Amino acid sequence: MLSITRKLVKPRGDTVTELDNAVAQALLDLEINSDLKVQLRELNINGARELDVKGKKAIIVSVPVPQLRLFQKIQMRLVRELEKKFSGKHVVFIARRRILPKPNRNKRSRGKQKRPMSRSLTAVHNAILEDLVFPAEIVGKRIRVRLDGSRLIKVHLDRSQMTNIEHKTETFASIYKKLTGKEVTFEFPEPYI
């Protein structure tokens, strides 16, 4: 008998919640009972969180960064099946990335490696945004600074995925606000010719 501990790999010190177990069990059931068996066999998750999005719930499933591309290959079918299992809650897959602090002059770091650009705050926030809207591609981004100094990020998404994603844009905006603290709106502009 297969165990859910194979599907759920938590970093050290993190406790396993009921939602983590439920999502891992759902993935295990899909691996056993569906045609996704081959693709799901080597995949696992790092955890799951539930957020309240304007009266509706959303589940954020964090996955290891090296496995993100494998998840994205089957993400459309996987999200559909998981949303059925969790009674209409929106399901989103996001890679678990690490932000390293900016190096400063006061602390000498002899022999230490330079911080990679992929671990900077901006790069991680941009990657989270791309993970969030995955089937659609981000074709443009505008940052609007209001008179009071607050920022609003307008993200232009590919119009070809409008039917798949349009009903989830509110969920995406609130998840991004919760994870990064940045306000974002999503638009589907007409392509320029």
Side-chain angles (χ1 to χ4, degrees), residues 58-171:
I59 298 174
I60 304 170
V61 180
S62 60
V63 300
V65 178
Q67 293 183 357
L68 181 66
R69 294 290 165 232
L70 298 173
F71 268 104
Q72 287 180 343
K73 285 181 182 177
I74 57 170
Q75 185 168 339
M76 294 287 283
R77 288 167 50 205
L78 199 55
V79 165
R80 196 175 319 119
E81 293 295 325
L82 288 175
E83 284 178 353
K84 275 190 240 173
K85 281 199 187 254
F86 291 108
S87 64
K89 294 178 184 175
H90 288 160
V91 178
V92 175
F93 287 93
I94 296 179
R96 186 180 183 118
R97 292 186 172 83
R98 172 166 292 155
I99 300 172
L100 294 178
K102 194 172 185 177
N104 55 6
R105 280 187 251 178
N106 297 342
K107 295 181 181 176
R108 297 258 172 176
S109 56
R110 291 180 194 256
K112 274 192 157 182
Q113 289 182 336
K114 187 179 173 199
R115 176 184 72 161
M117 288 302 293
S118 64
R119 306 288 193 286
S120 68
L121 181 90
T122 307
V124 170
H125 285 188
N126 288 339
I128 287 173
L129 189 61
E130 287 176 15
D131 294 350
L132 206 55
V133 299
F134 167 64
E137 286 184 28
I138 297 173
V139 293
K141 204 187 295 186
R142 308 284 184 269
I143 299 175
R144 180 165 188 256
V145 182
R146 298 190 185 112
L147 290 174
D148 63 350
S150 62
R151 292 171 175 243
L152 173 69
I153 302 170
K154 293 183 180 180
V155 177
H156 299 246
L157 299 175
D158 187 15
R159 200 163 177 81
S160 65
Q161 292 290 329
M162 186 173 170
T163 54
N164 297 337
I165 289 189
E166 190 173 29
H167 64 285
K168 292 185 179 183
T169 54
E170 233 176 62
T171 305

